[in-house]
Amino acid sequence: MNLQNASAVAMKDLREVFSNIGIYGPMFGVPLFFAIVLPVLTLYIATNAAPAAVIKLVQLPVQPSDIYLKSLAFTLFFAVNVLGPIFMTMPIFTASVIAADSFVGEKERKTGEALLSMPISNNELLLGKLLASFIPAVVLTLGVFALYGGVVDYLAYGQFHVYLLPTVPWLMMLAASPLLAIAAMGIVVFVSSNVKSIKEAQQISSLLVLPVLLMPFASIFGAAKITFSFMLYLIIGLAVADLLIIYIAAKRFKREAML
Amino acid sequence: MQSDIAVRNLVKRFGKNTALKDITLTSKKGINIILGPNGAGKSTLLKCIDGLYRPSSGYVSVLNANPYTDAHARSKISLLADVYGLYDFMSVKDNLRFFGNFYGLRGDEAIRKTAEMMGELDLKQYLDAKVEALSRGTKQKVAFCRSMLNEAQVLLLDEPTAFLDANASDVVRSHVQEMAHDGKTVMFVTQRLDEVTRLNSRILVLREGRLAAETDAEGIYSTVFKGVDVSVRLARPIGEKAIEGIRNIVWKNGKRPTLIKVRINGYGEVNKVLKALIDCGAYVVSVDYAEPALEKLVFGGRK
């Protein structure tokens, strides 16, 4: 495999994404906004809006009697069990947007013929395009987790004089993010030969956020607890699913998909 | 001598549509013109030869390799497709650098390699311009320069002069002829009969996905000049009696005409008509005819 070919494709795709504010603007803007606003809202609700009421809404592992501790427990629960899964959707969205633009965009912009006529193998092409989607998705997720963790800790320290993050399940959510990005990219490769537009591919691969978004509801209503073992099973399951998705996607990938 | 391109029983289907139906051909060194109307399958054939499409059945071999599966084989092939395929967000320079990467050209090597051609095509002023800001003709010129990056042995050109002005078209054609002269194999797709005359080479006529005929310029004009009306323009009026001897005059602009239309049944008759007119003292200033649609031409009894 000629890695220079793959890296040329990856660099080109990255430049393409970052040359269009319509693509990278919402991709970065929305998570950054959420990373600040959601922790602030959480703490406001926990400490000011209804500290006693909110504690009844969620099934906390412990039910502290003190109002201060209730607010603290709620903030921690919300920061990990509710906001964590929300931020886990970031790698899915980012990878879907870039991968769809990268794979289906060649078809939509009619540049696929020129690219495919180059002496580049399918594997080099796939690797380049997957890297172009994977790297920003992971970097953005790392950045967003760091920012949201930082905001949570800043606010928590100001209010409770303790740092709440990172916790082990929270770190495992971060560890699961690259696997979610890979799954989203695999789905794009999978559907790229059957879709006609970038939006179509994005919409299909974005469906992957639905099971992730079940997690906060499941933990609010006590159906699931986001613990170390839960996250471990999730990561193992995702890794197996990724291997399967990428294997099938690579097998099914046809050069014609970009024409 | 082995042909650079060998196509055997090639069939290409897109869903229920069959774009190529059992095409068998071998290339010859030099220019191989592929002539055919819209929808004949010309572009699909080039894309199969370049390895962009996997044949539904049959096989394509270029320089003894399968271009669909063998990426290395494509380093010796160059395709100028019907869409220019440049990245709009990049400058001309960056496009050439990007595509040059795949041929092992690093840094500005790709720019240096195409500098002469860019000069001839008046492109140097656009080197730093983004492709999205260029006209269609200029994009086509850049795409032609890109197709020269790898000094390919096999050139696949899909209507390379379609959006070019006369001067740029001449530059492109003369380069193509030069490459043909250097022993390269060129597949030149066109639907323009004047291009056929200019390139003066072997012609493969494609129609409705089939290879309808293999011919040359003479074969094309033998077919074209069957029952076609030729207009002859004269510098000054000529007497009615002077044109009495000319058969098949279908129209003239007055009793002492300066413009006559003659029905021709073979290109040789054009000379006879002109000779008759000149012998009668006429001054011929132009000969013109309405080129028939390619769809209507019949080659060897096959439309």
Side-chain angles (χ1 to χ4, degrees):
Chain A
M1 186 184 284
N2 183 342
L3 290 178
Q4 273 180 327
N5 281 352
S7 103
V9 171
M11 291 304 290
K12 187 274 293 174
D13 278 358
L14 283 172
R15 277 186 66 185
E16 193 153 25
V17 167
F18 290 103
S19 70
N20 187 349
I21 194 166
I23 299 174
Y24 75 80
M27 201 166 74
F28 282 84
V30 173
L32 291 180
F33 176 75
F34 279 172
I36 295 165
V37 170
L38 292 182
V40 171
L41 276 177
T42 304
L43 194 82
Y44 177 78
I45 292 168
T47 55
N48 298 310
V54 291
I55 204 80
K56 290 177 189 161
L57 286 176
V58 294
Q59 304 288 318
L60 291 177
V62 283
Q63 290 292 332
S65 54
D66 181 69
I67 193 85
Y68 168 85
L69 287 176
K70 280 181 179 175
S71 295
L72 177 64
F74 174 81
T75 306
L76 177 62
F77 174 83
F78 220 78
V80 176
N81 294 41
V82 179
L83 298 190
I86 288 174
F87 286 104
M88 279 171 76
T89 63
M90 300 303 166
I92 300 173
F93 280 123
T94 313
S96 298
V97 167
I98 302 177
D101 193 78
S102 172
F103 282 92
V104 188
E106 300 278 3
K107 175 160 49 182
E108 209 170 279
R109 291 185 283 266
K110 298 186 188 304
T111 48
E113 286 170 11
L115 180 61
L116 293 177
S117 71
M118 296 293 122
I120 178 168
S121 71
N122 284 3
N123 288 341
E124 289 158 6
L125 194 64
L126 259 178
L127 179 66
K129 291 199 165 284
L130 292 178
L131 280 177
S133 316
F134 182 75
I135 294 169
V138 171
V139 169
L140 178 71
T141 306
L142 268 174
V144 167
F145 263 76
L147 182 65
Y148 124 73
V151 171
V152 166
D153 276 345
Y154 174 78
L155 296 173
Y157 193 81
Q159 191 69 34
F160 310 116
H161 302 289
V162 286
Y163 292 115
L164 297 179
L165 297 176
T167 62
V168 173
W170 186 83
L171 284 174
M172 291 176 89
M173 283 179 193
L174 188 57
S177 298
L179 299 172
L180 289 166
I182 291 171
M185 293 175 333
I187 291 171
V188 170
V189 177
F190 203 74
V191 300
S192 60
S193 52
N194 300 318
V195 296
K196 287 191 176 72
S197 71
I198 296 172
K199 275 191 179 168
E200 221 178 311
Q202 280 171 3
Q203 281 162 356
I204 293 170
S205 58
S206 296
L207 290 176
L208 197 60
V209 302
L210 294 179
V212 177
L213 286 178
L214 283 178
M215 283 168 64
F217 292 104
S219 54
I220 284 173
F221 297 112
K225 285 177 185 167
I226 300 179
T227 57
F228 170 79
S229 51
F230 176 88
M231 286 308 300
L232 187 66
Y233 289 133
L234 183 73
I235 286 173
I236 293 169
L238 272 174
V240 173
D242 277 358
L243 284 175
L244 207 64
I245 290 171
I246 291 292
Y247 175 78
I248 297 171
K251 278 267 175 202
R252 276 181 57 115
F253 176 68
K254 289 179 192 153
R255 304 167 61 74
E256 287 98 321
M258 280 193 249
L259 298 176
Chain B
M1 195 165 51
Q2 184 119 26
S3 296
D4 285 347
I5 300 169
V7 176
R8 293 263 180 280
N9 306 112
L10 174 65
V11 175
K12 181 62 193 170
R13 288 186 205 93
F14 297 99
K16 287 179 183 170
N17 295 330
T18 307
L20 297 175
K21 301 165 186 164
D22 199 28
I23 302 262
T24 295
L25 63 88
T26 49
S27 65
K28 289 188 176 158
K29 293 273 182 208
I31 302 173
N32 301 260
I33 300 167
I34 301 176
L35 182 71
N38 287 331
K42 307 183 297 290
S43 301
T44 307
L45 175 62
L46 282 203
K47 286 170 193 170
C48 285
I49 295 172
D50 192 49
L52 296 188
Y53 290 142
R54 181 200 284 271
S56 303
S57 66
Y59 84 87
V60 174
S61 159
V62 181
L63 303 168
N64 295 320
N66 179 345
Y68 185 81
T69 53
D70 187 346
H72 180 68
R74 288 196 294 277
S75 63
K76 294 167 197 156
I77 311 173
S78 190
L79 170 74
L80 176 61
D82 49 351
V83 288
Y84 19 83
L86 299 165
Y87 292 98
D88 280 348
F89 72 96
M90 289 202 272
S91 66
V92 169
K93 215 186 244 182
D94 287 346
N95 264 283
L96 292 172
R97 281 188 192 129
F98 170 67
F99 288 106
N101 269 315
F102 302 107
Y103 301 121
L105 304 174
R106 303 282 169 247
D108 279 342
E109 265 182 273
I111 318 292
R112 283 194 291 275
K113 201 155 195 177
T114 50
E116 194 185 329
M117 176 69 71
M118 280 195 285
E120 283 183 55
L121 289 171
D122 203 18
L123 271 182
K124 284 190 172 170
Q125 56 187 310
Y126 300 112
L127 265 176
D128 292 311
K130 280 200 174 178
V131 167
E132 64 190 352
L134 303 179
S135 69
R136 199 158 54 169
T138 310
K139 286 178 188 174
Q140 178 127 7
K141 290 180 194 175
V142 177
F144 184 74
C145 287
R146 180 191 58 205
S147 69
M148 299 293 113
L149 280 173
N150 59 333
E151 296 174 31
Q153 173 58 33
V154 172
L155 275 122
L156 309 170
L157 306 174
D158 196 346
E159 304 199 42
T161 58
F163 302 112
L164 302 185
D165 56 47
N167 185 41
S169 296
D170 279 344
V171 171
V172 167
R173 276 191 292 263
S174 72
H175 268 275
V176 170
Q177 281 169 319
E178 218 171 275
M179 286 182 284
H181 187 257
D182 291 345
K184 305 199 183 237
T185 297
V186 182
M187 296 291 252
F188 192 109
V189 161
T190 186
Q191 48 180 318
R192 287 164 50 186
L193 291 178
D194 66 311
E195 201 117 59
V196 164
T197 315
R198 287 169 201 265
L199 294 170
N200 186 24
S201 195
R202 175 200 193 202
I203 300 164
L204 301 163
V205 182
L206 217 61
R207 194 191 300 284
E208 291 171 5
R210 291 185 194 281
L211 194 59
E214 180 181 340
T215 183
D216 55 14
E218 189 192 359
I220 292 290
Y221 287 111
S222 300
T223 308
V224 167
F225 284 98
K226 275 180 188 161
V228 72
D229 291 347
V230 170
S231 302
V232 183
R233 199 144 51 99
L234 307 172
R236 62 186 195 199
I238 190 164
E240 204 172 357
K241 280 200 170 174
I243 54 171
E244 266 177 1
I246 299 172
R247 290 187 306 154
N248 297 333
I249 293 181
V250 290
W251 183 82
K252 56 184 190 287
N253 64 345
K255 285 191 172 176
R256 287 174 51 78
T258 51
L259 182 69
I260 60 170
K261 270 190 186 174
V262 186
R263 184 146 302 160
I264 298 292
N265 278 306
Y267 64 83
E269 285 184 20
V270 179
N271 279 9
K272 285 179 191 165
V273 169
L274 295 185
K275 185 173 184 305
L277 284 168
I278 293 163
D279 286 350
C280 296
Y283 290 91
V284 176
V285 288
S286 83
V287 180
D288 203 3
Y289 71 100
E291 222 155 58
L294 279 174
E295 290 88 334
K296 291 182 179 167
L297 296 184
V298 179
F299 293 93
R302 201 179 205 181
K303 210 179 168 190

